[in-house]
Amino acid sequence: MVQLYARELPHLVNDDESVVSLLSASLFQNIDTALRIFQHGIDPTRVEAPAAAMQYARRLAQRGTPVVDLIRAYYLAQTAILNYALTEAAKQIRDPDMLGGMMSKALTGTFAFIDRVTQQVVSAYQEERDRWLLNRNALRAARVRELLEGDGLEIDTIESALGYRLRGTHLAMIVWHAVEPAQGNALGSLQVVTTALGEGLPTTGQPLLVPADERCAWVWFPLEKAVLPEDEEVGRILATAEPTVRLVLGDPADGIDGFRRSHRQAGRVHALSTAAGDQCERALTFRDVGAIALMTSDLPATRSWVSDILGALATDDEQHERLRETLLVFLATGGSYTAAAAKLTMHKNSVQYRVRKAEETLGRAVTDNRLDVELALKVCQRLGPAVLIAR
C-alpha cells in the first residue's frame, strides 16, 4: 500500500517520518479490521474506524492536506486489495457459483466498510481542521483586534505577525454562516469562498482571514487598485457554496486607516444583514446599502422613524408590500410612470393606480418629503419585518 501511495499520492509518503509511520499504522489497522469483518461475519456498518486512522486524518488536517487526498487514499487501497483478492480467488476456486458468491461478498463487504470508515475519518478531519484553524489564528486575531482598536503600533511588527502587508489598498469582508452548516466544516467552507473571491480580484498577495468565532470570519484582500468584485461573480461563488453562507463588503481604502475603515463599513452592513434575517440577500456591499446600514445601530428608533414617514404603508402584508415596491421603483426612475412600468413589466395604468393608492395610504403626495419617503421604502425593502408594522 505504501508503494502504491508513493506512485499515486507521493506527498503522503515523502513526508515527516512520524507522519509516514502513522500512515503505516493506519493502513495496518484498517486492513486488520477488514479481515476480522470477513473472518467473524461482523456487520461492517457498525464498526468504528481504527484509532490510528482517526489520528492520521487529524494530522493531515493540521498540515493542510486536502481532504480529497485522504478519501482517495482509501479508495486506492480498496481497489488494490480487491484486485489482489479476486485474482487469488480466481486461481484457488474452481466452482463458479462459489467464486461468484465470494466476489459478491467481497465487493459488498469492502464497499460497506470503506464507506463507514471514510465517513468517520472525514468527520474527524473536518472537526480537527476547524479546531486547528481557530488555535493557529488565535494570536493573529488578537493582533488584528489591537490594530483595529489602537494607534501608534509598529507597522513592521504587525505586518510580520499577520503575514499581511498593511501599506496598500484593502477591501474588507465579513463572511459567515447564518445558521450552523449541515456539513459541520464551518471555517473550511468560509475559506473556500474567500479563496474563490480573491481569485477574481486584482490582489497583490494572499487575503488575511481571521476567525471572529466558529461561524464567522473577518477577511481583508490586498488590492492593486480600488475595485469591488462583480455581482455576477459573487453570485456564482455563493451558488456553489454552503447555502448558509452570507458575505458583506466594505469599500476599498488605503493604509492602516483604510484597513480599519473598510472593516467598520463591513461591520455595519453585517449588522443590517443580521437584522433583516432570512429575507436578506446573501451578499451586500456598503456602497449599495451604506445609508441604510448606518440606521441599524438603533433598530427601535429606525422602526419608529419608518412608521412616522410611511404610516400605514409600512404594514407587513402582501398588499402594502406591492404598493411599496411600485412606489420605490417609481421614485427611483425619476417619477416616470412609463419607465417604472417597463422595469416592473406591468401596464402603465397599473403603476398609476398603485402610486395613487400609495399616496392615499400616505395621506399626501409622494413629492412631499420625497427623500425621506424613498429612504424609508428602501429600509423596508432591506429590513422587512424588522421595521414593518405587524398586521
Side-chain angles (χ1 to χ4, degrees):
M1 291 299 100
V2 173
Q3 291 175 355
L4 172 63
Y5 290 163
R7 295 193 304 271
E8 300 293 335
L9 296 168
H11 56 285
L12 294 187
V13 295
N14 298 326
D15 205 337
D16 181 85
E17 183 179 348
S18 64
V19 179
V20 177
S21 176
L22 194 55
L23 168 62
S24 298
S26 173
L27 282 167
F28 180 87
Q29 290 184 9
N30 271 314
I31 293 172
D32 183 65
T33 301
L35 290 175
R36 292 179 187 277
I37 286 173
F38 287 108
Q39 182 180 6
H40 301 292
I42 299 170
D43 182 358
T45 65
R46 299 177 65 86
V47 300
E48 298 298 322
M54 297 289 279
Q55 186 58 33
Y56 182 64
R58 296 187 186 101
R59 186 69 64 85
L60 292 186
Q62 295 169 6
R63 300 169 72 86
T65 304
V67 70
V68 67
D69 289 345
L70 175 63
I71 297 171
R72 186 164 179 244
Y74 273 89
Y75 285 103
L76 282 172
Q78 176 192 28
T79 300
I81 290 292
L82 281 175
N83 282 338
Y84 179 84
L86 298 181
T87 299
E88 284 299 309
K91 292 178 182 178
Q92 298 182 29
I93 302 174
R94 300 301 176 191
D95 183 341
D97 291 336
M98 182 180 293
L99 180 61
M102 176 268 163
M103 289 183 172
S104 176
K105 185 173 182 180
L107 289 169
T108 301
T110 304
F111 273 99
F113 170 70
I114 292 296
D115 183 63
R116 169 71 173 173
V117 172
T118 53
Q119 286 185 41
Q120 294 178 64
V121 296
V122 167
S123 178
Y125 174 100
Q126 291 175 336
E127 290 175 3
E128 182 64 19
R129 187 67 180 155
D130 284 352
R131 187 195 67 80
W132 184 256
L133 285 173
L134 280 172
N135 289 344
R136 189 186 67 180
N137 285 315
L139 178 58
R140 287 206 304 173
R143 301 311 298 266
V144 164
R145 292 180 189 277
E146 290 176 7
L147 180 59
L148 292 172
E149 296 170 2
D151 293 316
L153 299 174
E154 176 56 47
I155 294 181
D156 291 337
T157 302
I158 294 293
E159 285 184 338
S160 177
L162 297 180
Y164 179 87
R165 187 168 175 78
L166 295 169
R167 301 170 177 88
T169 303
H170 312 283
L171 171 63
M173 175 176 74
I174 297 177
V175 57
W176 76 102
H177 290 274
V179 296
E180 192 70 33
Q183 299 301 319
N185 187 21
L187 289 176
S189 56
L190 300 184
Q191 275 195 316
V192 170
V193 170
T194 299
T195 300
L197 201 61
E199 289 173 350
L201 290 169
T203 57
T204 60
Q206 294 298 313
L208 171 64
L209 184 149
V210 177
D213 58 39
E214 293 182 349
R215 288 189 350 210
C216 177
W218 296 346
V219 180
W220 286 264
F221 298 97
L223 301 181
E224 291 180 355
K225 56 183 178 180
V227 296
L228 287 169
E230 296 291 335
D231 292 343
E232 295 78 8
E233 178 67 8
V234 175
R236 183 190 65 79
I237 292 169
L238 288 178
T240 60
E242 287 278 340
T244 57
V245 173
R246 305 285 187 272
L247 67 86
V248 295
L249 295 160
D251 273 344
D254 296 334
I256 291 180
D257 288 340
F259 182 93
R260 294 168 177 153
R261 183 165 63 253
S262 188
H263 177 71
R264 284 197 300 268
Q265 292 171 345
R268 293 188 180 109
V269 183
H270 178 247
L272 181 151
S273 180
T274 303
D278 294 341
Q279 75 162 32
C280 191
E281 297 173 33
R282 294 180 66 186
L284 294 174
T285 67
F286 186 79
R287 187 163 299 180
D288 289 336
V289 299
I292 301 171
L294 293 172
M295 303 176 72
T296 59
S297 59
D298 190 346
L299 204 55
T302 302
R303 188 184 305 112
S304 177
W305 178 79
V306 167
S307 179
D308 291 342
I309 298 298
L310 299 182
L313 190 58
T315 302
D316 187 11
D317 61 22
E318 291 184 9
Q319 175 189 349
H320 289 89
E321 182 180 2
R322 285 193 297 270
L323 295 180
R324 289 194 302 272
E325 178 189 14
T326 303
L327 184 56
L328 182 56
V329 173
F330 174 72
L331 293 174
T333 53
S336 168
Y337 292 111
T338 303
K343 191 165 185 178
L344 292 166
T345 61
M346 56 191 298
H347 197 277
K348 177 181 175 181
N349 291 343
S350 298
V351 174
Q352 290 177 321
Y353 171 78
R354 288 190 184 180
V355 170
R356 186 171 65 252
K357 290 293 292 182
E359 289 181 325
E360 291 174 2
T361 307
L362 283 170
R364 63 182 183 277
V366 294
T367 52
D368 296 343
N369 206 15
R370 173 175 174 164
L371 290 177
D372 280 353
V373 169
E374 188 170 2
L375 180 56
L377 289 170
K378 288 182 178 179
V379 170
C380 292
Q381 182 188 54
R382 294 293 184 182
L383 296 181
V387 295
L388 293 173
I389 304 169
R391 187 172 176 81

